[in-house]
Amino acid sequence: MKFTKSKEKEPTAPGQVAIKKRSKVPGVMITQFVENIPAGKSHPDFSRKPIALTIQEGKLAVFKAIITGDPTPNVTWARNNGDVSDPERYVASYDPVLGEHQLQMPNVGVDQADTYKCYASNEYGRAIVTVTLNVIEVGFKKSKAMQEARLEQREKAAADLKKTLRTRVEQKEERKDGEVDEKFWELLLSADKKDYERICAEYGVTDFRWMLKKLNEKKKEIEEQQSQYIEHLSNLRHIEIKTPGCAEFEFEMDLKDQNARIFLFKDGVMVPFNTDTDEKHSLRQVGRKFVFSVHGLNAEDAGLYQVDIEGVNVFSTDFKIPAVDFLVKIQEVKAVEREDAVFECVLSAPLPKISWLGKNIPLEQGEKYDISVSEDMLIHRLVVKDCMQVDKGIYATVAGMKSCNAWLIVEADPDSNQRGKKAARKTTQAGGGGADLIKIAAEQQEKLQKEHEERMEQLKQIQAEEAAAKEEEKPAEEITAAPEPPKPKAKPKPKPKPKPKPEPKTDSEAVAEEPEPEPEVEEEQPESEEAAPTPPEEEAPSEEPRKRVRTGPLVPDTIIDPGVHFTSGLSDVHAIIGQSAEMVCKLSSEKCDGIWYKDGKEITSTDDLTIVKDGAVHKIIVSNCTEEDGGKYRFEADGRKTEAMLIVEDPPRMNQDDLAKFSEPVIIKVGQKATFKMDFVGREPIKVQWYNEGEEMLEDNHIKIEKSDSHSRLLLVKCQRKDSGEIKLKLKNEFGTIEALSRLIVLDKPTNPMGPVEVLEASASCVEFKWRPPKDDGGSPIKNYYIERNQIGRNTWTKIGNIPGEPNYKDTDVDHGRRYCYRIRAVTAEGTSDILETNDIQAGTKAYPGPPSTPKVVSAFKNCITLAWSPPTNTGGTNIVGYNMEKRKRGSNLWGQANPPDEPIKGKQYDVKDVVEGMEYEFRVSAINFSGAGEPSTPSEFVIARDPKKPPGKVIDLKVTDSTYTSLSLSWTKPKEEKGVQDEAKGYFMEIRPAENTEWGRCNSNPLISTSYTILGLKSMAMYWVRVVASNEGGDGEPRDLDNYIIAMPPPVRPNFTNRKMKSFMVMRAENSARVNINFEASPMPTIIWLKDGMPVSKRVTVSNTDGMSQLLIPSAERSDSGIYTIIVKNIVGQETFSVEIRVTDDPKPPGPVELEENVPGTLTVSWEPSPDEKRDNHLHYMVMKRDSIKRTWHSVADRLFNNNFTAVNIMPGREYNFRVYAKNDIGLSETSESLTWGVVRKKEKFSLNLAPSKPCNFDSAPIFTVPLKTHTIPEKYECYMSCAVRGFPTPHITWYRNNVSINTDTNYYITNTCGVCSMLILRVGAKDNGEYRVVAENSLGRAECSTQLTILE
């Protein structure tokens, strides 16, 4: 079919007219064939037109349209460049349930990209709509090659089909790929193995062998394609609802080319996405992890999601949103510490699992949380065990697209005896619905069962009617069919009636059901073509009603009452030989018995096999499992079956007595052999490994390892001390791993003692020294040390003998001045070590003492300076006999002795009198022992020879300059000098005392040079006394105290609201959150109180207070939350209040029917029934709009009407009038209520006007700033508001920058763009907000910039 060009006049039949009509749907062209359409009839129109598609080649492309018209229009499809007559590439269908007309293009190709038209026509007119199809070419392949490959594939498929039809009588037909939706394979490729049964049951596939074979082929094919772009793909996690209103799926992937394109499809249609989490579909990449999110969930988001890389499918996941709601939501729970808290809810439909969240964190089953569901899957329960204060907060649950939340409040234990102690775990529970929830769930279950039975009955009636219709059609077909003489090769066998397709089964049923062969039940159309070929023109009509195209899950043709079924099926069990195993399943009825089978054979109870029936629960218990007990077990009851595998494992095992014996350490001597042996049992092959200190041992000359089926032996030959350590035996087979530990101890003589030797004393009377013990004692403790001595100059060694095991020795048998050398050996039970030989040690050697401590100045006068010191720590081995004192003037390099040379100072204090008044000196001291004078000490501080100074006086003008909650700043003036009374101050000490203490503490250890100081680390709002002490060389002066105590707080400030743009009236939509932020300044920290209509706010209102701000939050506002909310900010200085009216409402419901009445000529009284919301909303009023037949436009004639009638004036005779009435409140307008037409229609002559074609206007323009940004200078902690205006078409994209860094996604900045006015708000500016701010506007025609500077005042 060729499109009619826009300038060509559409052909019409003789007698027809062509009246152009406007559709309510944009883009639909309607041509009416008659001037007047009879009542009840209508021309065709599109209530939903097809949507343009951009899709990847190889996918399924579908155009959908919903068309109205009476009589029912005839719908056809066409394309601009080509035709749509190929039934393999274009399938036109109609869905009577949805009322949709569809054009499907399976395996769409690049050559099918074109402009398509949908025609709908009946006897009264025709409607046309145009839609485009864009096809994305896969990878870098050429279109021509793709077309040739597809053509070759189609020809091969056609040849295979003909070959199959010829041999169908002789052999069973293989399953065709087209019989199963392609979506089935895409799901299986990304699904876990445990989900295969569920997907097969959903799509009606029962031939699992065929399915697995086909799936392996497809996996190999897709892996080859993926290897072109992907290096690694793992951790596939299917889509699920993570938080209310958001669903996510993720996987880990390494791309070979980081620039490879990623596509997201939903039901075969490409979906745009970006990294902005505010968009509907977004992608977040963290390393190798890719997370796709779907925000703002609704029912239309359900479907098959696919991720492709350059045209290659990577991941497919099916998103199903259950139609479920909460009959009973979770309620607030108050629990005492160490009690369990219970949250319960009831659903409107059974659901096996729902999501639980605690403080926005997903909760899982574990030690802290117990998540359970009732048998009917309606009551869901969360138990928070052992509640503590950290557990309190908001808990939420999500079921489908519905969610609810409630608070958990944890109160302290009221028992006063337990305060300050860790209370014992309580056995009581708080919360839970109890019997009421069970009753509600039972009623809902009964309701669901009743609805199910009603649907079953309706389906049975429909099935019976269809069966009767088929029986009536069958004789008619037999009469009209023209018999053909049968051909020898194509003679068909008599065919039985087609069996109904099997009903989709549950997971447990699908496992056990065997696929029923259907070799003889085939469609008749292919054989009729083979037996009696017809021309193509005649073949198409006969084939159309018989061809059935499946595009979704297979729907059973017959519906059977499920009866008794499995509520839980068997699952695979792993058991160890010799232990017991149990397999359990549960039926929906307790009155049904069943039969157990093992590997297809019926089994009964024996000594080791017990069959148990406990109500609806059926068990089989195998005691003392053997390998023969392994196999496939099946349970059948009432035609239903479930099966699972019992896998008997034989991991390596050891006898406990042998293991205890093996763990005992093995102790041997060097050179001996050590043997370790362990018996074990387990299925072969068993891998045996021996380890020494974690390092695996391999056979060599010293290591021998024996292995057999029942034991392993390790032989270590000629063991050395280094072989000591942990010996580990590790056994491993396919079923598990076990380890045995022991220890090897090899005894040997110790190593030689360790140096260096330290001389403790070397005097004329003795020599004392010490050493370190051997590094390795050989496994035995040191008993003695054997010592020998040699006097230097002689060739003989004198045996001193054994000394106790301490590593030191004192030799008193020495001669003064002689030199000695010693040999030391360590002695243990295993032998004697090698020697450690000392260096030469001289008895009576000169050992000088170390330096004393630095001299300290005790006092200083003009003729005498007194110093003191401490003795040296090293005396040189002898007693200190005295000290020498030396002095040196400042600027000189010469030290002079202060005491007479022949008179050492006996004490540790000395008065130096040989000083000159006014000179500055430093001093040092050296100690003297029998060997002589040692090293001098470090010099003392310089001291002036003068009489002591007088302490300074009190500081002047002590005052507080600043204060905060943790610090206090003070300043003062130096005290005055008075000669002979008080001297100049050289430094200051700050002292502080808390009000509750009596002792003063100094804040600084060293004197302050400056006359100001800041005290840090104060306790908020605490009271302190503060004073300052001046100091100099003469000591500390008298302290200066503040006149009064100081409180650690900022200077008092009366509460004041800082935001002058606070709103005093707010309108919120019901079920939305209401938030009021109040900024203030006050010191000290004020008390904040929120009131609603003069009363305290309810518990469901959350109030958050911080320094300088208070926030009131209503999470899910209701109409009852409307009122006047007042904040009271109060401290010791004063108080301030502010009130805001919050009105919670919703879109108003429309008023009732509108009636018109003419009481006075020229006027009309419009009256209507009140809106249902009128009684609940005192702000609700009405607006009336009018339209006449002349102006034909609606305009408002009355607004803010609080009654239910209105009198319209200036009603002209001969005109038609229509009136609309809207209900209006603070949210907006309701839907309209429209009156009937008023007036008499006057016939007028037809007026026609030919207008010249209008020229299109081009409004495109590059961005330009009409109002630039202004420079701002803002004090710190104030809010800053910037705005500018920009113009351009298409609407430019706005980006804000601070110091060339984008801040569009920074939550510290509130950025808006409304009708070209770009604004940014910073609530509390700080030093970090200083800098240049720039706005960039971009569209396809250009770019514009505007910048300003923000300066923050400290």
Side-chain angles (χ1 to χ4, degrees):
M1 179 182 290
K2 184 181 178 182
F3 285 174
T4 303
K5 301 297 181 180
S6 59
K7 293 185 178 180
E8 296 179 3
K9 185 176 180 181
E10 294 185 0
T12 56
Q16 284 187 346
V17 295
I19 303 174
K20 300 296 182 181
K21 292 289 185 178
R22 178 177 295 177
S23 172
K24 294 182 179 179
V25 179
V28 178
M29 296 179 291
I30 299 176
T31 303
Q32 184 174 311
F33 295 157
V34 296
E35 292 186 359
N36 296 315
I37 298 177
K41 304 295 181 179
S42 62
H43 57 69
D45 195 1
F46 286 82
S47 60
R48 190 178 77 185
K49 68 175 184 178
I51 300 174
L53 291 180
T54 299
I55 196 168
Q56 180 184 350
E57 68 172 321
K59 300 293 183 179
L60 173 65
V62 181
F63 288 129
K64 301 178 181 179
I66 297 179
I67 302 170
T68 59
D70 192 6
T72 303
N74 180 34
V75 179
T76 57
W77 297 83
R79 59 177 291 188
N80 191 20
N81 300 313
D83 55 29
V84 294
S85 60
D86 188 351
E88 294 184 0
R89 308 191 70 187
Y90 301 95
V91 179
S93 62
Y94 173 68
D95 189 341
V97 178
L98 301 176
E100 286 182 346
H101 292 269
Q102 298 182 1
L103 177 63
Q104 301 180 3
M105 287 167 274
N107 194 21
V108 67
V110 178
D111 59 317
Q112 291 176 277
D114 202 349
T115 301
Y116 290 78
K117 279 193 176 183
C118 180
Y119 294 86
S121 59
N122 62 10
E123 58 185 285
Y124 299 112
R126 177 170 60 187
I128 306 173
V129 68
T130 304
V131 64
T132 58
L133 172 64
N134 298 316
V135 181
I136 300 175
E137 187 175 359
V138 175
F140 303 96
K141 299 177 183 178
K142 301 298 182 181
S143 300
K144 185 175 180 180
M146 291 291 293
Q147 293 173 7
E148 292 175 355
R150 284 200 201 91
L151 182 59
E152 182 181 351
Q153 185 179 3
R154 292 195 194 99
E155 292 175 353
K156 184 179 178 181
D160 293 342
L161 177 61
K162 292 179 180 179
K163 183 178 178 181
T164 303
L165 291 175
R166 292 191 188 100
T167 60
R168 190 166 77 185
V169 178
E170 301 173 3
Q171 61 182 6
K172 176 181 176 180
E173 180 188 8
E174 295 182 358
R175 184 185 295 269
K176 302 175 185 177
D177 292 349
E179 293 183 4
V180 179
D181 188 3
E182 189 66 23
K183 180 180 176 182
F184 170 75
W185 299 111
E186 292 175 347
L187 287 176
L188 281 182
L189 287 172
S190 300
D192 297 331
K193 291 183 178 180
K194 62 182 178 65
D195 296 328
Y196 284 0
E197 299 170 5
R198 175 183 59 80
I199 297 174
C200 288
E202 181 179 346
Y203 284 83
V205 176
T206 57
D207 191 345
F208 299 113
R209 293 183 180 176
W210 168 83
M211 180 274 293
L212 292 174
K213 179 180 178 182
K214 194 72 177 176
L215 181 60
N216 289 333
E217 295 175 358
K218 288 184 174 289
K219 279 187 176 180
K220 291 180 181 179
E221 180 183 350
I222 196 67
E223 286 174 358
E224 291 179 358
Q225 298 176 4
Q226 290 178 354
S227 62
Q228 302 176 16
Y229 307 103
I230 300 174
E231 291 183 355
H232 175 77
L233 181 66
S234 64
N235 292 340
L236 307 178
R237 296 189 178 180
H238 289 269
I239 190 168
E240 60 181 3
I241 299 176
K242 294 289 187 181
T243 57
C246 178
E248 293 181 355
F249 64 92
E250 62 184 56
F251 52 86
E252 293 183 4
M253 177 175 62
D254 287 334
L255 293 173
K256 292 184 177 180
D257 181 8
Q258 297 300 323
N259 296 322
R261 295 174 296 176
I262 302 176
F263 301 98
L264 176 64
F265 295 87
K266 176 182 176 292
D267 294 332
V269 180
M270 181 180 291
V271 177
F273 66 90
N274 55 27
T275 57
D276 189 357
T277 55
D278 294 334
E279 296 294 330
K280 178 69 175 178
H281 301 88
S282 64
L283 167 63
R284 184 175 73 256
Q285 181 179 357
V286 182
R288 62 192 296 184
K289 181 187 289 186
F290 292 78
V291 182
F292 284 86
S293 302
V294 183
H295 303 275
L297 291 179
N298 52 55
E300 296 179 356
D301 292 323
L304 179 66
Y305 287 84
Q306 297 169 282
V307 178
D308 288 11
I309 304 296
E310 292 291 355
V312 177
N313 181 253
V314 172
F315 183 51
S316 300
T317 179
D318 194 11
F319 185 31
K320 296 181 179 179
I321 302 177
V324 66
D325 200 354
F326 290 94
L327 295 180
V328 178
K329 299 182 178 180
I330 59 176
Q331 304 295 324
E332 179 181 294
V333 177
K334 291 185 178 179
V336 180
E337 285 184 329
R338 306 309 303 273
E339 224 179 11
D340 292 349
V342 180
F343 292 97
E344 288 183 322
C345 61
V346 180
L347 304 181
S348 61
L351 205 61
K353 182 183 178 182
I354 62 177
S355 300
W356 291 91
L357 297 95
K359 305 175 186 176
N360 291 328
I361 300 175
L363 306 181
E364 300 292 342
Q365 175 74 28
E367 296 181 358
K368 183 63 179 178
Y369 303 101
D370 184 14
I371 300 174
S372 59
V373 59
S374 62
E375 291 187 3
D376 56 11
M377 293 185 286
L378 292 177
I379 302 178
H380 291 256
R381 191 178 199 219
L382 169 67
V383 180
V384 184
K385 302 177 184 177
D386 193 12
C387 289
M388 304 299 288
Q389 289 294 332
V390 296
D391 297 323
K392 64 182 179 181
I394 297 178
Y395 287 75
T397 179
V398 181
M401 291 192 299
K402 302 295 183 178
S403 64
C404 60
N405 56 62
W407 272 90
L408 169 59
I409 301 174
V410 181
E411 299 176 345
D413 195 334
D415 187 358
S416 59
N417 297 327
Q418 296 295 335
R419 293 178 183 172
K421 304 177 183 178
K422 185 175 181 180
R425 171 86 182 274
K426 299 181 185 295
T427 58
T428 56
Q429 292 183 339
D436 293 338
L437 294 185
I438 297 175
K439 181 179 178 182
I440 295 172
E443 293 175 354
Q444 182 67 12
Q445 181 69 16
E446 183 179 351
K447 179 181 177 182
L448 293 174
Q449 184 66 24
K450 185 176 179 181
E451 292 176 354
H452 176 71
E453 292 174 356
E454 291 177 355
R455 287 197 301 270
M456 295 289 294
E457 188 64 29
Q458 292 175 1
L459 291 172
K460 287 180 180 179
Q461 292 178 3
I462 295 172
Q463 177 186 350
E465 294 175 358
E466 291 179 353
K470 289 181 180 179
E471 291 295 332
E472 293 177 1
E473 292 176 1
K474 187 175 180 181
E477 292 177 359
E478 293 176 353
I479 295 173
T480 57
E484 292 287 340
K487 294 183 180 180
K489 292 184 179 180
K491 181 177 180 180
K493 295 171 61 178
K495 295 186 178 181
K497 295 175 66 177
K499 297 180 182 179
K501 295 187 179 179
E503 179 184 0
K505 303 172 182 60
T506 61
D507 293 355
S508 59
E509 295 169 23
V511 175
E513 287 291 343
E514 296 293 337
E516 297 181 1
E518 297 180 308
E520 299 176 354
V521 180
E522 304 291 338
E523 293 182 3
E524 297 180 359
Q525 182 61 26
E527 285 202 352
S528 64
E529 293 177 6
E530 189 71 25
T534 59
E537 292 79 1
E538 299 176 4
E539 184 179 1
S542 61
E543 185 180 4
E544 184 63 25
R546 296 180 182 272
K547 187 167 182 180
R548 183 174 184 182
V549 180
R550 297 191 180 274
T551 61
L554 300 178
V555 181
D557 294 335
T558 59
I559 302 299
I560 302 174
D561 189 350
V564 177
H565 58 278
F566 287 96
T567 58
S568 64
L570 296 177
S571 58
D572 292 345
V573 176
H574 295 257
I576 298 176
I577 286 182
Q579 298 182 0
S580 62
E582 180 179 293
M583 305 182 78
V584 183
C585 63
K586 186 176 181 181
L587 293 170
S588 60
S589 173
E590 299 181 0
K591 299 179 181 180
C592 184
D593 295 328
I595 304 175
W596 287 90
Y597 296 87
K598 178 181 179 293
D599 296 330
K601 297 179 181 180
E602 183 178 349
I603 55 176
T604 57
S605 295
T606 62
D607 293 340
D608 294 332
L609 190 68
T610 306
I611 295 176
V612 180
K613 178 181 182 297
D614 183 8
V617 178
H618 295 260
K619 301 180 183 178
I620 184 169
I621 303 173
V622 183
S623 57
N624 194 18
C625 289
T626 62
E627 291 187 1
E628 289 75 14
D629 293 324
K632 181 182 291 185
Y633 286 78
R634 185 171 77 248
F635 180 74
E636 295 185 359
D638 194 26
R640 305 284 179 153
K641 61 183 76 173
T642 177
E643 64 183 21
M645 294 294 295
L646 172 59
I647 303 169
V648 181
E649 300 177 343
D650 191 8
R653 303 183 300 284
M654 302 175 184
N655 184 276
Q656 293 298 323
D657 295 335
D658 295 342
L659 191 60
K661 184 178 179 181
F662 181 83
S663 63
E664 296 177 357
V666 176
I667 303 175
I668 61 172
K669 293 187 177 182
V670 171
Q672 295 180 346
K673 64 180 180 180
T675 305
F676 297 87
K677 181 182 178 182
M678 175 58 72
D679 296 331
F680 55 83
V681 293
R683 182 179 297 179
E684 290 291 333
I686 297 179
K687 184 178 181 181
V688 180
Q689 295 172 293
W690 289 88
Y691 295 86
N692 186 349
E693 288 295 331
E695 183 178 352
E696 185 176 2
M697 293 186 288
L698 304 176
E699 287 200 56
D700 57 16
N701 295 335
H702 302 288
I703 302 173
K704 306 295 181 183
I705 299 176
E706 298 179 6
K707 302 178 183 177
S708 70
D709 296 343
S710 60
H711 75 276
S712 179
R713 181 171 176 267
L714 171 67
L715 175 62
L716 302 176
V717 183
K718 296 181 181 180
C719 293
Q720 301 298 320
R721 175 66 180 164
K722 63 181 181 179
D723 296 327
S724 299
E726 181 185 72
I727 303 297
K728 179 171 70 174
L729 170 62
K730 182 177 180 181
L731 304 175
K732 181 178 181 181
N733 68 0
E734 59 179 312
F735 299 114
T737 304
I738 191 171
E739 296 178 352
L741 300 177
S742 185
R743 180 164 289 278
L744 173 62
I745 301 175
V746 181
L747 302 178
D748 195 4
K749 67 178 184 180
T751 58
N752 57 302
M754 300 176 62
V757 175
E758 181 181 352
V759 178
L760 302 178
E761 183 178 356
S763 62
S765 58
C766 71
V767 171
E768 185 178 5
F769 55 91
K770 66 178 181 178
W771 61 93
R772 290 188 296 164
K775 186 176 182 180
D776 182 10
D777 61 4
S780 299
I782 303 295
K783 291 184 177 180
N784 299 301
Y785 287 98
Y786 183 77
I787 300 179
E788 296 177 304
R789 186 183 75 175
N790 171 253
Q791 181 178 322
I792 302 301
R794 296 183 181 181
N795 296 326
T796 60
W797 288 86
T798 304
K799 296 180 180 179
I800 297 176
N802 292 327
I803 65 170
E806 293 297 327
N808 69 315
Y809 177 65
K810 184 175 183 180
D811 188 1
T812 57
D813 185 16
V814 296
D815 295 331
H816 181 69
R818 299 287 184 183
R819 301 171 68 83
Y820 298 92
C821 181
Y822 297 86
R823 288 178 178 172
I824 309 168
R825 292 182 176 91
V827 181
T828 67
E830 301 301 322
T832 304
S833 72
D834 295 333
I835 64 171
L836 167 67
E837 188 170 328
T838 68
N839 296 325
D840 296 346
I841 303 175
Q842 183 176 356
T845 181
K846 291 186 177 181
Y848 297 100
S853 66
T854 303
K856 300 291 183 183
V857 178
V858 177
S859 62
F861 295 92
K862 62 183 179 180
N863 55 3
C864 179
I865 299 175
T866 303
L867 300 104
W869 60 89
S870 299
T873 55
N874 178 19
T875 62
T878 58
N879 296 329
I880 301 297
V881 297
Y883 298 92
N884 284 332
M885 172 73 72
E886 294 178 294
K887 66 178 180 178
R888 183 175 66 176
K889 297 178 182 179
R890 180 183 283 276
S892 174
N893 294 326
L894 300 177
W895 287 93
Q897 190 164 337
N899 61 300
D902 55 349
E903 296 180 6
I905 302 170
K906 300 299 182 181
K908 292 182 284 297
Q909 182 171 321
Y910 185 68
D911 298 331
V912 181
K913 297 181 179 179
D914 185 16
V915 293
V916 179
E917 183 180 1
M919 297 296 294
E920 198 169 359
Y921 298 90
E922 62 178 341
F923 301 87
R924 68 183 183 182
V925 181
S926 57
I928 305 172
N929 65 2
F930 292 116
S931 299
E935 291 291 328
S937 68
T938 56
S940 68
E941 296 179 354
F942 283 97
V943 58
I944 302 174
R946 65 183 179 187
D947 290 338
K949 282 192 172 184
K950 298 292 183 181
K954 294 183 179 181
V955 300
I956 303 171
D957 194 21
L958 176 62
K959 60 184 177 180
V960 177
T961 58
D962 191 18
S963 63
T964 66
Y965 289 111
T966 59
S967 65
L968 180 65
S969 298
L970 301 100
S971 66
W972 59 89
T973 305
K974 291 176 62 174
K976 296 180 179 180
E977 293 185 52
E978 295 183 14
K979 192 171 183 179
V981 179
Q982 55 189 36
D983 290 332
E984 180 185 6
K986 296 296 185 180
Y988 306 93
F989 290 98
M990 180 68 65
E991 296 184 348
I992 189 170
R993 177 174 68 86
E996 62 271 14
N997 292 351
T998 57
E999 296 181 359
W1000 290 87
R1002 286 197 170 177
C1003 302
N1004 54 310
S1005 56
N1006 296 321
L1008 298 173
I1009 303 302
S1010 63
T1011 57
S1012 63
Y1013 185 72
T1014 299
I1015 305 172
L1016 303 176
L1018 302 182
K1019 186 178 179 181
S1020 177
M1021 299 303 293
M1023 295 170 52
Y1024 295 94
W1025 293 93
V1026 181
R1027 67 185 185 185
V1028 178
V1029 179
S1031 177
N1032 62 11
E1033 296 87 347
D1036 295 341
E1038 293 185 13
R1040 169 72 71 182
D1041 296 66
L1042 284 173
D1043 296 337
N1044 205 345
Y1045 61 83
I1046 295 296
I1047 299 177
M1049 56 173 276
V1053 177
R1054 177 184 173 86
N1056 179 37
F1057 296 111
T1058 58
N1059 186 3
R1060 298 304 177 188
K1061 298 181 180 180
M1062 294 187 296
K1063 297 180 180 179
S1064 59
F1065 180 75
M1066 297 175 61
V1067 178
M1068 304 302 301
R1069 189 183 299 275
E1071 299 184 358
N1072 286 2
S1073 61
R1075 182 181 285 102
V1076 180
N1077 292 327
I1078 302 296
N1079 297 323
F1080 60 86
E1081 59 179 4
S1083 179
M1085 181 67 73
T1087 301
I1088 301 173
I1089 302 173
W1090 282 90
L1091 303 175
K1092 179 196 173 188
D1093 297 329
M1095 301 296 292
V1097 295
S1098 62
K1099 293 183 178 179
R1100 62 187 305 272
V1101 177
T1102 303
V1103 176
S1104 303
N1105 297 323
T1106 60
D1107 185 14
M1109 191 185 77
S1110 179
Q1111 182 189 79
L1112 179 137
L1113 174 65
I1114 307 175
S1116 180
E1118 300 175 356
R1119 289 181 182 266
S1120 59
D1121 294 323
S1122 298
I1124 297 177
Y1125 289 81
T1126 303
I1127 180 174
I1128 302 175
V1129 184
K1130 178 171 59 176
N1131 64 5
I1132 59 176
V1133 183
Q1135 74 175 31
E1136 190 73 21
T1137 62
F1138 179 75
S1139 298
V1140 55
E1141 181 180 358
I1142 298 178
R1143 176 168 295 277
V1144 181
T1145 182
D1146 210 336
D1147 290 328
K1149 295 181 181 179
V1154 180
E1155 297 180 358
L1156 302 178
E1157 183 179 358
E1158 184 179 15
N1159 294 325
V1160 178
T1163 64
L1164 275 178
T1165 299
V1166 185
S1167 59
W1168 57 89
E1169 293 295 327
S1171 169
D1173 290 338
E1174 185 174 304
K1175 295 181 180 180
R1176 297 191 298 172
D1177 193 343
N1178 57 4
H1179 280 215
L1180 185 137
H1181 54 277
Y1182 300 96
M1183 182 177 73
V1184 180
M1185 300 188 74
K1186 183 183 74 172
R1187 184 184 71 174
D1188 59 31
S1189 57
I1190 300 301
K1191 295 183 180 179
R1192 307 190 67 82
T1193 57
W1194 290 97
H1195 63 277
S1196 176
V1197 294
D1199 198 356
R1200 301 194 62 80
L1201 296 175
F1202 288 89
N1203 53 8
N1204 304 122
N1205 55 68
F1206 171 72
T1207 300
V1209 297
N1210 297 328
I1211 302 300
M1212 306 294 293
R1215 295 186 182 181
E1216 294 181 354
Y1217 291 90
N1218 294 84
F1219 291 86
R1220 287 179 179 174
V1221 180
Y1222 297 86
K1224 191 174 180 183
N1225 64 5
D1226 296 319
I1227 288 291
L1229 293 174
S1230 69
E1231 296 181 0
T1232 182
S1233 292
E1234 191 166 345
S1235 69
L1236 299 175
T1237 302
W1238 177 272
V1240 179
V1241 179
R1242 293 190 302 179
K1243 293 186 179 180
K1244 294 184 178 181
E1245 295 181 359
K1246 186 174 181 181
F1247 176 76
S1248 61
L1249 179 63
N1250 296 325
L1251 297 176
S1254 60
K1255 296 182 180 179
C1257 297
N1258 185 6
F1259 295 98
D1260 293 352
S1261 64
I1264 183 173
F1265 282 91
T1266 57
V1267 178
L1269 292 172
K1270 296 181 180 180
T1271 303
H1272 293 267
T1273 301
I1274 304 295
E1276 192 172 5
K1277 297 185 180 180
Y1278 276 65
E1279 72 173 21
C1280 176
Y1281 180 81
M1282 299 183 184
S1283 64
C1284 61
V1286 65
R1287 184 178 63 200
F1289 190 84
T1291 303
H1293 176 72
I1294 305 301
T1295 307
W1296 285 79
Y1297 294 89
R1298 184 179 74 84
N1299 294 335
N1300 295 325
V1301 177
S1302 175
I1303 59 175
N1304 272 28
T1305 58
D1306 194 331
T1307 56
N1308 294 323
Y1309 303 92
Y1310 181 68
I1311 297 173
T1312 60
N1313 181 12
T1314 305
C1315 299
V1317 178
C1318 310
S1319 60
M1320 180 188 69
L1321 175 64
I1322 309 174
L1323 291 177
R1324 291 167 61 87
V1325 297
K1328 62 182 179 60
D1329 297 315
N1330 258 322
E1332 181 189 29
Y1333 286 79
R1334 183 161 52 93
V1335 183
V1336 178
E1338 297 178 283
N1339 66 5
S1340 58
L1341 299 179
R1343 169 189 173 109
E1345 294 185 4
C1346 180
S1347 62
T1348 185
Q1349 192 74 24
L1350 174 60
T1351 304
I1352 307 301
L1353 300 179
E1354 297 183 357

